[in-house]
Every structure is written in C-alpha cells, then in structure tokens.
Amino acid sequence: MTSAFSPKKLNALNTRERQQATIAQFNAAMDAQDTATAIDIANYVVSDDDLSNHAFSRGWQLHCLKWLIIHHMNEWRNSEDNSEHEDKSIHALLDGLWKLKWIIGILPQDIGETRQDFDEAIEFMQHVYEDFEFSTAMVDKAQLDIAMLTGDAEAARKHFAQWQAADKDDMNDCEACEQSTLIDYYHFIGDYQRAAELAAPIISGEMTCGEVPHITYPSIINSLIQIGKFSEAQAVLQDAVDLITQSREHFLWLIPQLIQLSIRLENREQAEELLDEFSHDIVEAAQNNHFHYLQYLIAVAPFNEEALEAARSLARDFDERNGNQYYQNQLDLMFVTPVLH
C-alpha cells in the first residue's frame, strides 16, 4: 500500500499544531489499517532531523517509536529468510532500537509522563534488548539519565555503577558521548572537581562528535563555577555561546542554560542579548517540551516577576512528580551569585 502521508503541510505548522496533526493523522491511519501511512508518520515524529527534535513531546515520540519497533519486529520474524524484506525489516528495527535508548533517557522532560511510565518504558527496553542479546549497558544508562532528570541521586549512583560494570557492545554511544555522560553524572552528584577533570579532553577538542561538546557545556561550566575557576568558566561559556548560536537549529534548547550560566557569572548583558535574540524561537520550539520551557523560564526569572512565578509553578509540578525539590532548588540558585575573583 502506498503511503498517503505528506510532510510539507506539517512543516509549515507551529510545534503545537504539528503534534496535534500528527496524532490525528496517525490515529486515522490506524483506524483505516493504512500501515504504510502510519509508518511514515511515526518515522517523521521520531526523525533525527531538527524539526522533530524540537516539535514533539517525548511521550508522543516514545509511543510512535514503540509502535515502529513492534511492527518491524513482527515483519522481520515473518519474513522469508535471506529475503530483501527481511533485510529491510531488520535494518528498520535496529534503527528503532538505537533511538530507543535516547528517547527513554529523556522521557522525564515530558511532565505528562509518570514514574510508572518510566518504569514501563525501561521494561520494554529491557525486553527487546534481551531478545537481541544486547548488553544491559544502554538500559542502565537510560535509567541513569532518567535518575538525573528526576533529581534522584540515590538511583543515579546505583545505575551509574551498573552502567560502568556492564559489557560494551555495538549499541553503546561513541567515546565522546560516553565521556559527556560521565561529566554529567559527576556534576549531578556534586563532584565538581572530578567533572572538571573529565572535561579536559572535551574542552581541548580532543573528544568531539555531532553532539559533543555542545550538550556537555552546561555541566562543564557550572562545575568550573562550583570549584571557583571563574575565569575559565567565563572562557568556556564564551566558546559555548559562539558554537551553539552558530548551530541554533539543532541546539536551540541549550541556550536557556547558557543564559542561566551567564547570570551566575554576573554577565547580565550577555544574558539579555541572548534573550533578545532567541526568546521567540525558544518559546516556539518548547511548546511540547515542558523541561525546555522550564529552563527558559528559569533563565528569564531574574528579569521578570511573571516568569519567576511561572517557573515556580512548573518547577513545583516537576518536583511533585519526581518526589523532591530538585528544580525548585535550581530556580533558587539563580538568585545566589557566586563570589567572583
């Protein structure tokens, strides 16, 4: 069956409208048993391109990805051995399993997803990874990522140890991304000195990839602030601003954290310039991502009372789900200036 899906009109919609449209079209395709169209819509939602990275909630992305994995697994199992259809199905299935570790790890960004949803997502990942005899490493890492996003230090320590002890295989991330997660972990548990030490090959450019150093900058810069290396933090922050603003289509979501760090380093002029240039695009891109919107509100809070109240409300929503004060504490930190030398 030929797909009836055409992304051209969807690309012209804003992010909220795009999500609503894809949900409606996917449901219609399922009702009509139009598998070809459902596949195209689901692939559009979980695509690696910039549009999808900014357009859809993590819960909706996971729903589409799980459906794709189950579909391609069934197709592969029912294919004739050594056929073209078998080859196509296994390649599509492995692509889905590769993306699964990323989307599950950032599922807590969606305030609509519960702790039970996280557990069920991990159970699904464990099941399909076991089917293919993959190492547990990426399941452990996904649980580590969830723990850090939910502010759960005890769970983070547990899953970090499991991740480090697990065997590596082809599903592991690249060396630079693995190093980035190490830095994020030590930053999260408050071992800022260790995080700064591990950051050296990333700051120097020895370790890079399509995502690193971009995604590692916030943890690196704040770690340097926490250990009193303010001039180095300023220099790395400027490198981060230069690089990320040049790649705004893919890394727009990181700019609110750079604004927060600019304020922490008493560079309010730079913070205001970034807000003036990027606020509209950040708000538009974050319509379906509550975590990214919270980071934006926290960045704006020192300048705007209404943003402060909105940030308090959303941070409280996250913390009530997560069972701690993690994001409310992050907001409070915006109003505590480190002593710069």
Side-chain angles (χ1 to χ4, degrees):
M1 181 182 293
T2 303
S3 171
F5 175 66
S6 175
K8 188 173 182 180
K9 289 183 179 180
L10 287 174
N11 293 347
L13 300 176
N14 67 39
T15 51
R16 182 176 288 113
E17 293 169 340
R18 194 177 302 132
Q19 171 141 322
Q20 292 170 345
T22 55
I23 292 172
Q25 291 181 25
F26 182 82
N27 289 338
M30 294 300 292
D31 289 342
Q33 298 184 343
D34 182 356
T35 303
T37 297
I39 290 171
D40 282 350
I41 295 168
N43 279 327
Y44 178 82
V45 171
V46 301
S47 170
D48 291 329
D49 69 25
D50 298 324
L51 206 57
S52 292
N53 286 335
H54 289 299
F56 303 111
S57 69
R58 302 313 184 190
W60 175 226
Q61 287 186 311
L62 181 59
H63 178 87
C64 289
L65 185 57
K66 286 175 68 177
W67 182 86
L68 283 168
I69 288 170
I70 293 168
H71 169 78
H72 291 306
M73 186 173 290
N74 289 333
E75 290 292 301
W76 169 62
R77 285 175 172 165
N78 293 320
S79 297
E80 182 181 345
D81 289 348
N82 301 316
S83 65
E84 182 179 348
H85 186 70
E86 181 189 50
D87 186 62
K88 183 178 179 181
S89 297
I90 191 63
H91 276 86
L93 175 56
L94 290 173
D95 179 67
L97 295 178
W98 178 263
K99 291 175 180 176
L100 189 62
K101 61 181 182 175
W102 291 103
I103 291 181
I104 288 180
I106 56 177
L107 192 58
Q109 291 181 352
D110 192 333
I111 195 64
E113 299 296 302
T114 66
R115 282 193 167 273
Q116 182 178 344
D117 293 325
F118 307 155
D119 292 341
E120 290 175 354
I122 289 295
E123 287 175 9
F124 176 79
M125 185 178 179
Q126 286 174 327
H127 176 71
V128 293
Y129 271 45
E130 285 173 3
D131 275 358
F132 284 86
E133 299 183 349
F134 291 143
S135 167
T136 62
M138 290 299 97
V139 179
D140 298 324
K141 181 181 177 294
Q143 290 176 291
L144 169 61
D145 290 336
I146 288 172
M148 291 192 289
L149 273 174
T150 56
D152 190 338
E154 182 179 353
R157 288 186 172 92
K158 171 187 172 182
H159 295 303
F160 176 79
Q162 292 173 336
W163 171 49
Q164 291 296 284
D167 294 331
K168 292 188 176 183
D169 60 18
D170 290 343
M171 296 304 287
N172 273 69
D173 297 326
C174 74
E175 185 181 19
C177 282
E178 296 256 322
Q179 187 83 353
S180 182
T181 301
L182 287 175
I183 293 165
D184 286 342
Y185 169 73
Y186 284 108
H187 171 263
F188 174 76
I189 64 169
D191 190 344
Y192 303 114
Q193 183 64 47
R194 181 61 175 150
E197 290 169 359
L198 289 167
I202 290 178
I203 293 173
S204 69
E206 180 184 341
M207 282 187 177
T208 63
C209 70
E211 300 285 320
V212 176
H214 312 70
I215 61 173
T216 329
Y217 275 133
S219 293
I220 293 174
I221 297 163
N222 193 52
S223 294
L224 292 170
I225 292 171
Q226 295 294 338
I227 62 176
K229 293 188 175 182
F230 302 115
S231 59
E232 188 175 348
Q234 289 273 17
V236 177
L237 174 59
Q238 190 57 55
D239 289 341
V241 169
D242 291 343
L243 182 62
I244 290 170
T245 55
Q246 290 171 12
S247 310
R248 59 189 293 167
E249 293 82 5
H250 190 62
F251 296 104
L252 183 69
W253 58 277
L254 286 169
I255 292 176
Q257 294 177 69
L258 300 186
I259 295 168
Q260 294 172 29
L261 291 163
S262 296
I263 295 168
R264 294 274 294 148
L265 286 167
E266 296 188 324
N267 194 342
R268 292 175 73 92
E269 181 179 353
Q270 178 172 257
E272 290 176 327
E273 289 174 355
L274 290 170
L275 283 170
D276 288 344
E277 183 174 356
F278 294 103
S279 280
H280 177 272
D281 291 342
I282 291 169
V283 171
E284 160 61 21
Q287 289 185 66
N288 296 317
N289 191 303
H290 309 92
F291 174 79
H292 292 169
Y293 188 56
L294 173 60
Q295 296 305 314
Y296 170 73
L297 289 173
I298 292 174
V300 179
F303 302 100
N304 185 289
E305 187 67 28
E306 289 184 4
L308 174 58
E309 290 305 311
R312 283 175 176 157
S313 177
L314 187 51
R316 188 163 51 248
D317 288 343
F318 271 100
D319 288 342
E320 286 176 357
R321 181 198 66 185
N322 300 336
N324 51 47
Q325 299 283 313
Y326 184 72
Y327 288 105
Q328 292 173 83
N329 291 341
Q330 182 186 354
L331 175 60
D332 291 341
L333 191 63
M334 294 304 298
F335 299 91
V336 179
T337 304
V339 179
L340 307 185
H341 299 288

